[in-house]
Amino acid sequence: MRPDYMGVMFLCTSVMSFNAGIWQIFRRGQKQQLMENHKNMDKSPLTDLPGDTATVNECEFRRLQLDGSFDNEGSCLVGPRSIPSYKGAANADESRGGFLVMTPFEIANTGKFVMVNRGWVPIDAGKHRTMLSQYIGEGFTPGQVRGVLRKEEFIGGSLFWGPSPDNDGPVAADLSWLAMRPWNMALAYYRRRWGASQLTESVQRHGAHHYYVEMLEDFSGDDQRMVRGHAWPRRRETDEITYVHLTPVVHSMYVVFWFSVTAGSLYGMLRCWRRQQDLFRLRKLVDRQGVRLEARRQEEAQAYQAAVEEVMRRKHIHAAAAAAQIDIGSHAAPRDEQPLPAAAADSASHRP
C-alpha cells in the first residue's frame, strides 16, 4: 500500500483511539463517582423528599421510606428493555423483554408527588392499559415505598438535528417512554389529570423533580400481583443495584490500551511520513537524472543531425566536383584529335 494512504489510515486510527481513551477516562471518573454514591445506601433512610439544596451525589442511592398512595391510572412504561439484572432471565416471560413501570406516588399528608419505578413487567403489559392493570392494579392504591433515589436519564441529541424529542414525551400511544424522565413524566401526568391550563399551579402545589424512587425487592409482596405464578412487577435486589459490570480498574486498562494504540498509530504515521519523504527525494533525484539524460540525448541528437548535414553537404560537394571534372574532360578531348600541319607531318614521317 502507498505510504500516503497508510498515513491517512494511521491518522484516522490515532484520532479515534485518542477519543476512545479520553472517553474511558471520563467513564472511569463516572464509575468512581457511582461506587462512591453506592455508599449512601448505608445511611439511615429518609422519611421525606430531600431538600432543594441537596446535590445529586448526596442523594443518589439514598434509601427512602414513604407512605402514601399510588395512582395506577397515571402509570407509564419505559422501554422496551431487557430485565434489569445481571443474573439474566429466569423464565419465558423474562426472556422476551419488557418495560419498567413508572407510577405517580402521592406522599401522605403533604400533597406532594414523586415518580416511582415500581419494577419490571413482561412485554405483554405494553399492549394496552388493560393488560398493564393486571400487573399493577387499577385506581388509587395505598402503599408504602421502600427504595432508593435515582437520578434521571437523558437521551443524547444530534449535532445536525438538535436535542432528541424523546426526552419530552412518550413515543407510543401516550404510554411508553424511552428514558427515565421523571420531570417530564410528572408534567405529562399533571397535564392529563388537571389540564394544561392548571399546569403551572399543579407544579407549584405538587412538585416536579429530576429524580425518581426505585423500589427494592424486600419480598414483602406489597403492591405486587401474582400473574401466571410470578409476582409482578419484578424488582431488583440491593446487590443487583450496586453491581458494577466494569470497575474503574478495567477502564484504566482501557485507557492504557487506547493510548497505546494512539502512540502506535502516531509512530506508524511518522514512519509513513518519512517513507513518503524518501519517495519524494527519490522522485526528485529521478527527475533530475531524467532532465540530464534528456539534455544529453538532445545534445547527441543535435550532434548527430549536424553530422548528417555535414555528410550530406560533402556528398553534394563531391557530386558537384565530379560533374565539373566530367565537363572539363569533355571539352579537352576534341582539341587533342585536330590534324597536324603538313610540315610537322612530313618531319614526323621521316623520323627513324
Side-chain angles (χ1 to χ4, degrees), residues 1 26 59 106 113 117 143 193 234 254 264-265 299 324 332 343:
M1 184 181 292
F26 282 103
C59 298
E106 184 177 5
F113 279 84
N117 176 11
R193 182 173 178 180
R234 196 266 194 211
Y254 278 126
S265 299
E299 292 176 358

Side-chain angles (χ1 to χ4, degrees), residues 82-91 94-95 217 219 234-243 245:
S82 60
I83 185 169
S85 174
Y86 68 90
K87 299 178 182 179
N91 51 61
E94 295 179 356
S95 63
E217 181 60 77
F219 303 100
R234 196 266 194 211
R235 297 168 185 157
R236 293 195 294 177
E237 302 176 21
T238 302
D239 63 328
E240 293 176 314
I241 289 182
T242 58
Y243 174 75
H245 180 60

Side-chain angles (χ1 to χ4, degrees), residues 85-138:
S85 174
Y86 68 90
K87 299 178 182 179
N91 51 61
D93 289 333
E94 295 179 356
S95 63
R96 294 185 300 164
F99 298 90
L100 298 174
V101 181
M102 292 286 285
T103 302
F105 182 80
E106 184 177 5
I107 303 174
N109 303 322
T110 62
K112 298 294 183 180
F113 279 84
V114 64
M115 299 301 296
V116 177
N117 176 11
R118 300 174 66 180
W120 186 88
V121 293
I123 200 167
D124 293 338
K127 295 180 178 179
H128 197 269
R129 284 192 176 272
T130 55
M131 297 291 293
L132 177 61
S133 62
Q134 69 175 335
Y135 292 96
I136 63 174
E138 298 178 346

Side-chain angles (χ1 to χ4, degrees), residues 122-304:
I123 200 167
D124 293 338
K127 295 180 178 179
H128 197 269
R129 284 192 176 272
T130 55
M131 297 291 293
L132 177 61
S133 62
Q134 69 175 335
Y135 292 96
I136 63 174
E138 298 178 346
F140 287 86
T141 304
Q144 185 180 70
V145 171
R146 293 182 296 275
V148 294
L149 292 171
R150 299 295 307 274
K151 62 182 179 181
E152 65 179 358
E153 300 174 351
F154 181 77
I155 301 177
S158 171
L159 181 63
F160 301 100
W161 306 110
S164 174
D166 296 331
N167 289 313
D168 302 326
V171 295
D174 195 28
L175 182 64
S176 176
W177 296 62
L178 292 182
M180 291 287 191
R181 303 291 296 170
W183 174 277
N184 302 94
M185 290 176 178
L187 297 184
Y189 170 70
Y190 296 156
R191 191 181 297 110
R192 185 170 60 251
R193 182 173 178 180
W194 289 293
S197 60
Q198 303 294 327
L199 181 59
T200 304
E201 182 180 353
S202 300
V203 171
Q204 294 177 354
R205 179 183 303 175
H206 304 289
H209 312 282
H210 290 280
Y211 57 83
Y212 63 95
V213 180
E214 180 177 355
M215 297 186 68
L216 298 177
E217 181 60 77
D218 56 3
F219 303 100
S220 64
D222 294 346
D223 77 280
Q224 290 178 311
R225 301 170 69 90
M226 295 296 297
V227 180
R228 292 189 294 274
H230 298 281
W232 304 103
R234 196 266 194 211
R235 297 168 185 157
R236 293 195 294 177
E237 302 176 21
T238 302
D239 63 328
E240 293 176 314
I241 289 182
T242 58
Y243 174 75
V244 178
H245 180 60
L246 296 179
T247 61
V249 176
V250 177
H251 288 287
S252 299
M253 296 171 62
Y254 278 126
V255 170
V256 174
F257 169 76
W258 285 118
F259 283 160
S260 300
V261 174
T262 302
S265 299
L266 292 176
Y267 176 74
M269 187 173 62
L270 178 62
R271 291 292 301 272
C272 291
W273 181 77
R274 290 178 177 176
R275 180 58 180 168
Q276 191 67 28
Q277 293 297 317
D278 294 339
L279 290 178
F280 286 155
R281 286 192 293 268
L282 182 60
R283 289 174 184 174
K284 291 180 180 179
L285 178 61
V286 171
D287 291 341
R288 288 196 298 268
Q289 291 180 350
V291 171
R292 288 197 297 267
L293 291 176
E294 181 64 21
R296 183 177 177 181
R297 187 191 66 80
Q298 291 181 1
E299 292 176 358
E300 292 178 351
Q302 292 176 358
Y304 176 78

